[in-house]
Amino acid sequence: MTQFRSIFISDMHLGCRWCQAKLLASFLSSVECENLFLVGDIIDGWKLKRRSSWPQSHNKVLRKILKMSKKTRICYIPGNHDEFLDEFDGYHFGHIEIARSAKHVTADGRRFLVIHGDEFDLVVKYKRWLAVLGDLAYEICLQLNSWLNSLRSLLGLGYWSLSQYLKHKVKDAVNFIGDFENALLHRARTSGVDGIICGHIHRPAIRQVENITYANCGDWVESCSALVEHPDGTLEILRWKDMVSRIPFVTTGGEMVFRDPDPAPRPTPDPVLPEPVTSPF
């Protein structure tokens, strides 16, 4: 069991079929922390409105979180996909607090603002119909991604993300990511904090710009990443898909191997964040 001071997770998208719930459950079973921040889009209300699907693996994730809440402070910050929780801002359900934003002080004394980040996406904020359309387009892209990686697997090749490739190659998408990160950095400066922690764009990152730290948790659809704070206050991005193969597991025959004891289906993400050309998330 790995000990951290704090863990920040965003964009689980429980309720959508491409959520890597088994990998997420294995991660939560392998860590302990004092503070757990759920940084938005934990439950995908957009998908649940269009179709009713809630696999048992998604229940397992919720049970893991509820179990952690017995000895861990948990702060749930709703995003645009779970905005139905906005009306509960300031409420406590057991040891789980719901808040639109939170402040966190690291062990080394740095102050961070924690938000999902969707308020800095103008398409999500002002063009809801376009965001939903982009969400559907993203689903098509990710289905193609699934078929492509099935073929790559037959050829002995590793996982490759078509959707991430398109994000990096499409000029407007790249510009949007840059504008989003710069807007968050500006928010941190005007809020008088040392850094900002967010999610929303499914792109894990830690950037230091002058004296401000920008950190993005990533997602559990493709990158399967979390932002963690070590006991000394150091922040790090963990990519669980890269680490899980190094977890020792004893087979029924008594052989020790290094693989996921609860293997998840091959990563095939789902429509989660609106991805029109003007705002790929």
Side-chain angles (χ1 to χ4, degrees):
M1 188 75 71
T2 306
Q3 301 279 344
F4 296 105
R5 185 171 184 267
S6 306
I7 297 176
F8 304 82
I9 301 175
S10 72
D11 299 274
M12 296 180 184
H13 291 281
L14 294 171
C16 93
R17 60 176 177 158
W18 305 120
C19 168
Q20 301 297 311
K22 291 185 177 181
L23 282 173
L24 178 54
S26 72
F27 171 74
L28 294 174
S29 297
S30 303
V31 297
E32 288 184 349
C33 59
E34 299 174 22
N35 309 290
L36 174 63
F37 289 87
L38 305 175
V39 193
D41 287 1
I42 304 306
I43 298 172
D44 197 325
W46 291 16
K47 297 299 179 296
L48 293 176
K49 283 182 180 179
R50 295 208 299 263
R51 58 173 179 270
S52 178
S53 176
W54 192 270
Q56 185 61 31
S57 60
H58 295 204
N59 275 338
K60 186 175 181 180
V61 170
L62 291 182
R63 287 197 297 269
K64 295 284 186 184
I65 293 172
L66 290 173
K67 182 179 179 180
M68 291 179 71
S69 71
K70 294 179 180 178
K71 55 182 179 179
T72 299
R73 176 204 170 208
I74 298 180
C75 182
Y76 189 144
I77 299 170
N80 51 302
H81 282 258
D82 45 15
E83 60 191 357
F84 57 88
L85 290 173
D86 284 351
E87 62 183 290
F88 298 104
D89 182 24
Y91 281 69
H92 287 76
F93 296 91
H95 295 286
I96 300 177
E97 173 191 2
I98 296 179
R100 283 294 297 158
S101 64
K103 293 286 183 65
H104 175 69
V105 180
T106 58
D108 56 6
R110 290 178 295 164
R111 296 165 300 150
F112 281 83
L113 175 64
V114 187
I115 59 175
H116 180 62
D118 56 295
E119 60 263 51
F120 295 93
D121 185 338
L122 297 181
V123 170
V124 171
K125 190 173 182 179
Y126 297 112
K127 300 289 186 181
R128 177 62 179 267
W129 65 270
L130 187 57
V132 173
L133 182 62
D135 191 44
L136 292 172
Y138 190 33
E139 182 166 5
I140 295 172
C141 178
L142 294 175
Q143 183 61 66
L144 292 173
N145 198 59
S146 173
W147 295 334
L148 176 62
N149 278 285
S150 295
L151 177 60
R152 287 176 61 87
S153 178
L154 292 175
L155 297 175
L157 301 174
Y159 177 73
W160 180 77
S161 174
L162 172 63
S163 60
Q164 291 294 328
Y165 174 79
L166 292 176
K167 286 180 188 178
H168 295 159
K169 289 297 181 182
V170 177
K171 181 179 179 180
D172 286 347
V174 174
N175 289 341
F176 172 81
I177 292 172
D179 291 344
F180 176 85
E181 294 179 350
N182 290 334
L184 270 290
L185 286 164
H186 177 72
R187 173 64 181 275
R189 291 189 188 96
T190 57
S191 299
V193 294
D194 301 301
I196 194 160
I197 296 171
C198 63
H200 187 58
I201 64 172
H202 291 208
R203 184 168 179 168
I206 299 177
R207 289 177 54 202
Q208 188 73 27
V209 179
E210 297 176 349
N211 59 337
I212 302 293
T213 302
Y214 165 88
N216 194 298
C217 310
D219 68 285
W220 286 86
V221 175
E222 291 194 82
S223 61
C224 295
S225 60
L227 177 72
V228 298
E229 178 195 356
H230 292 279
D232 63 356
T234 303
L235 296 178
E236 179 186 5
I237 294 289
L238 295 184
R239 295 178 180 268
W240 191 242
K241 283 195 299 187
D242 297 337
M243 299 178 64
V244 76
S245 61
R246 300 194 294 271
I247 297 176
F249 176 64
V250 179
T251 67
T252 54
E255 179 185 4
M256 178 173 285
V257 295
F258 290 83
R259 64 179 177 84
D260 182 9
D262 188 11
R266 182 169 297 280
T268 43
D270 177 67
V272 252
L273 293 177
E275 295 210 21
V277 174
T278 53
S279 170
F281 315 103

